[in-house]
Amino acid sequence: MTLDPKKPQSVQFLFNKIAKNYDQMNNIISLGLHNHWRNVTNNKISLKGNEIILDLCCGTGDWTIALAKKITNGHVFGIDFSKNMLNIANKKIKKLNLENKITLIQADALQLPFSNNYFDIVTIGYGLRNLKNLDSGLKEIHRVLKPKGQFVCLESSQPTNVIVKPLWHFYMKKILPYLGKIFANSYEEYNYLQKTTHKFMNYKELSNKLNNSGFQNTSYKKFLFGSTVAHFTYKA
């Protein structure tokens, strides 16, 4: 299989293939820190409890579930274009009896099945860099957010520290794909994922991108020297 980011069906195939090992690999790759990063990010979102929330590119549903646990009368929609990822998320949701708070939908992030100004909050974890067209994705997020609605993005980034950056590059390029091969029999898939991380903008560039895409008051929190960064911004 040749993975082509310009062909959504190719990336969709990738995530369907790695779905069953996805949670395990996240723990291995991040040394379990990804849960801490998500929890810290989630705790910085101020909720009244009645918000309508979209968790975009929700994958196996961990952030979707964390958001649902923080609301009382609201609702969380989890969107992903990988059926296999959503199947795993659905099992987790049923096990926790959260079906009344969460709706999962298989859909394309660039063509969201929602009306304008629908959501109070939109979140996306490690999904922006895999969108076929980042500008179109941000435009859709902006469209479905209510005025003054919050967009929260947790994404892999590129450290800017001159000492940390080469070590990070070595780990991503040389180590990560082999972890995928050893633990998930998926060398090519994880090699593709490290390439998308390398090609994606760093956190400063992403902040500027957000501010130039109809969002305002953008701030960010770095994790592990900026290898992962949470961005917080609002619809203008």
Side-chain angles (χ1 to χ4, degrees):
M1 177 188 65
T2 300
L3 294 168
D4 185 350
K6 295 183 179 180
K7 296 180 179 179
Q9 66 273 20
S10 180
V11 181
Q12 186 179 41
F13 180 90
L14 178 153
F15 282 102
N16 276 330
K17 181 178 178 181
I18 68 174
K20 71 175 182 178
N21 295 307
Y22 186 74
D23 289 341
Q24 177 192 21
M25 285 302 300
N26 280 346
N27 284 325
I28 293 170
I29 291 169
S30 72
L31 303 177
L33 291 172
H34 72 102
N35 291 311
H36 170 69
W37 300 334
R38 185 183 62 250
N39 289 337
V40 171
T41 302
N42 204 41
N43 287 335
K44 288 178 70 68
I45 302 174
S46 298
L47 295 173
K48 297 178 181 178
N50 61 347
E51 288 85 355
I52 305 300
I53 304 172
L54 171 62
D55 186 24
L56 195 58
C57 302
C58 68
T60 59
D62 286 343
W63 201 353
T64 316
I65 289 168
L67 289 162
K69 288 180 177 179
K70 292 187 69 174
I71 60 173
T72 51
N73 300 317
H75 200 81
V76 182
F77 290 84
I79 297 289
D80 204 283
F81 71 170
S82 168
K83 181 179 179 181
N84 292 355
M85 289 282 194
L86 290 174
N87 286 341
I88 294 172
N90 190 49
K91 291 178 181 177
K92 294 179 182 179
I93 291 164
K94 287 183 176 179
K95 186 175 181 180
L96 294 169
N97 297 314
L98 289 172
E99 298 99 318
N100 63 322
K101 289 186 176 183
I102 298 174
T103 298
L104 298 179
I105 301 174
Q106 185 178 3
D108 187 344
L110 304 187
Q111 295 179 309
L112 294 173
F114 301 102
S115 59
N116 296 347
N117 308 316
Y118 191 84
F119 293 100
D120 298 290
I121 298 169
V122 175
T123 63
I124 184 169
Y126 308 103
L128 274 187
R129 73 182 190 276
N130 291 308
L131 296 183
K132 178 183 177 182
N133 187 305
L134 178 59
D135 289 333
S136 295
L138 292 177
K139 185 176 180 180
E140 272 293 88
I141 291 167
H142 188 275
R143 179 184 68 81
V144 300
L145 264 176
K146 294 178 181 178
K148 309 301 181 182
Q150 186 177 33
F151 173 45
V152 182
C153 168
L154 183 62
E155 183 58 87
S156 300
S157 187
Q158 301 179 28
T160 55
N161 182 282
V162 294
I163 297 175
V164 174
K165 189 171 183 177
L167 296 174
W168 176 86
H169 278 286
F170 178 81
Y171 175 77
M172 294 297 293
K173 188 174 183 179
K174 301 296 184 181
I175 305 299
L176 190 151
Y178 284 98
L179 291 176
K181 181 179 181 180
I182 293 168
F183 294 101
N185 193 30
S186 299
Y187 175 88
E188 186 173 357
E189 287 75 16
Y190 280 91
N191 191 44
Y192 167 81
L193 291 175
Q194 68 86 11
K195 287 180 180 178
T196 63
T197 301
H198 271 98
K199 292 179 180 178
F200 197 62
M201 59 190 69
N202 64 42
Y203 56 91
K204 294 180 180 179
E205 294 168 332
L206 182 54
S207 291
N208 290 333
K209 184 74 170 178
L210 291 168
N211 288 331
N212 291 325
S213 300
F215 297 95
Q216 62 183 5
N217 300 325
T218 302
S219 62
Y220 57 79
K221 179 174 178 57
K222 297 188 292 182
F223 300 102
L224 200 63
F225 305 104
S227 59
T228 291
V229 179
H231 283 82
F232 305 85
T233 193
Y234 297 84
K235 180 175 179 176

